[in-house]
Every structure is written in C-alpha cells, then in structure tokens.
Amino acid sequence: MQAPDVGAANGGRGLSPGPPRYLAHVPPTYSEQELDDAIDALTSRERFREAEAVVTAAAPKLQRVLAEALETGGWFGEAHEGEIQKAAAAPAEEERLTALRTLLAEEARMGMMVGVAVGWALAEELRQTDESNEED
C-alpha cells in the first residue's frame, strides 16, 4: 500500500491527492549531523515534555486527522480487511499468530509514519500562520 498524502490540495487543509506541499518548504540544507542533533534533542525529557503536553491537549483532533489520513490512503479499506480475513483464516494457530503480529506491526509503522506526516504538515501550517501574523 502507498502512504497517503496529507497535504497538498485545498491549500494543505484537506486530505486529498496531490503533491505533498508540506515537503516543499523543508530546507534541503540540513546536514546529517544537524538532523542527528535535532533527533537527539528530542530524547531530552524536558525538551520533549512541552511537545508531549501540546500533543496530549490536541490528541482528539489529531486522532481524527490521522484516522482520516489512514482512511483516505486506503489503510482501512478492502486491502486491510482482506489482510484481517487472511490472518484470521490461517489454518494453523502459529500461522494465525504470525499473520496477526505482522499486521499489527505494519499498522503501527504506518500509523507512526502518517502521524509524522500529519505533525509535519501541522508544523508547516503553524509556521505559515506565524509568518502571516508577522506580516500584519
């Protein structure tokens, strides 16, 4: 399955097809070291606590956006239902367990990847809002 696009059309406010607008503004000049340093900074409990509080407060709305993105991308459509049926119908218990574990791991990975994309798009929206407020 292909990951859903959570930006682009409708000014980046919808979950419709189109080029991922939110990636267009990412400066291509970040070095691997700068990226590693930024990721390492996220492991600091104090630095992460503020982001965690913001996400917790916004969780219900973000969960709705994530669910819509996954739905739009087909992750909960026929293919997903087919994988559930295949896992449940496996003849041997060990085969069923393996299929179920694989399906759950894939869903978790996809949820995290789409969640990152949603977060990235949200950060871009907030950045644009800040820039337009500064212009006023």
Side-chain angles (χ1 to χ4, degrees):
M1 289 186 179
Q2 183 179 14
D5 174 19
V6 295
N10 300 328
R13 305 209 191 292
L15 298 174
S16 53
R21 178 186 61 77
Y22 52 89
L23 291 180
H25 298 289
V26 176
T29 57
Y30 290 128
S31 70
E32 189 172 330
Q33 184 61 49
E34 288 171 317
L35 185 57
D36 286 345
D37 291 346
I39 291 169
D40 287 344
L42 294 177
T43 63
S44 164
R45 187 67 190 140
E46 284 304 311
R47 291 197 62 178
F48 195 69
R49 195 168 303 204
E50 181 181 342
E52 189 176 39
V54 170
V55 169
T56 298
K61 291 178 184 175
L62 290 172
Q63 184 175 353
R64 186 179 68 244
V65 173
L66 178 60
E68 186 177 335
L70 289 167
E71 181 77 30
T72 300
W75 288 98
F76 292 125
E78 291 178 30
H80 181 262
E81 193 60 36
E83 289 300 313
I84 292 171
Q85 293 293 329
K86 190 167 89 175
E93 181 179 355
E94 189 57 39
E95 192 178 342
R96 281 191 303 275
L97 289 173
T98 298
L100 184 57
R101 286 181 185 117
T102 300
L103 182 60
L104 290 172
E106 288 173 358
E107 286 180 350
R109 280 190 293 271
M110 182 49 35
M112 286 187 287
M113 294 301 292
V114 173
V116 167
V118 167
W120 199 311
L122 178 59
E124 179 62 20
E125 289 296 322
L126 291 170
R127 185 189 65 77
Q128 287 180 4
T129 299
D130 285 346
E131 286 177 0
S132 59
N133 286 341
E134 289 173 3
E135 292 172 2
D136 293 340

